[in-house]
Structure formats: structure tokens, C-alpha cells
Amino acid sequence: MAQPDAVRITTARSSAADDMKLRKRRYAWSMSIRLVCFLAAVIVGSGIVMWLLIAGAVFLPLFAVVIANATDQRDDGFTLPDSPGTHELTASDPDER
């Protein structure tokens, strides 16, 4: 059975709890911006700026979900060589001395 590749600490993913906390924070910020767009559209009144703010408020949830669900993709491409010429360290046998 093949052993899994070693993981470098610099490329290790964050914990599930930290990942969920970060996703919730991103989504909350996006929805806050959406609320500001709606309020600004009401304050601005009629005109092109109002329609741009409304469009931003309408389409922001789509992007907010995509951004919030973006996962941690850290990977530097490093894997330990797995070739026949690679030697592994073994425990020494006290009888072989």
C-alpha cells in the first residue's frame, strides 16, 4: 500500500473551523457592501448612479457566494521523490554491529 505524500507545513491547509470562520466573514462583508449599495441607491435618487448601485446590489450575492466558498488551495508542487533509486532510512539492527 502506497504511503501518502508528505505535507510541508507551509502548504498545509487551515483547519475546517478556521476555514468556515473565514468563509462566514467574507460572506458577511459582501452582504454588508450589498446593504450599503441599496441604501446609497435610495439616497442618490434617480440617475445612472442609482442603477449602477442597484445592479451591484442585485449581482453581488452571486459573487459573494463564489468568493465565500473559495477554498484554501495552497500547494507549492513539492512532493518527495518516489523512485526506485530513493533510499529510506531504516532502524538499525543491534546484531549487525
Side-chain angles (χ1 to χ4, degrees):
M1 185 156 118
Q3 293 181 344
D5 292 336
V7 177
R8 291 172 132 185
I9 192 65
T10 56
T11 59
R13 294 192 173 134
S14 56
S15 70
D18 288 342
D19 187 45
M20 184 58 74
K21 188 168 126 180
L22 182 62
R23 287 181 189 204
K24 287 179 182 179
R25 188 177 301 146
R26 283 186 207 153
Y27 190 76
W29 273 107
S30 298
M31 291 300 103
S32 299
I33 293 169
R34 181 181 189 213
L35 178 64
V36 169
C37 285
F38 270 128
L39 294 176
V42 171
I43 292 170
V44 167
S46 62
I48 189 77
V49 175
M50 178 192 75
W51 290 109
L52 290 173
L53 289 169
I54 290 173
V58 168
F59 291 108
L60 189 61
L62 170 71
F63 298 116
V65 169
V66 171
I67 291 170
N69 287 330
T71 58
D72 189 2
Q73 298 292 329
R74 283 185 261 178
D75 182 18
D76 66 354
F78 176 80
T79 56
L80 292 174
D82 191 26
S83 61
T86 305
H87 300 287
E88 294 181 3
L89 295 175
T90 58
S92 62
D93 187 8
D95 296 332
E96 289 183 1
R97 292 184 192 177

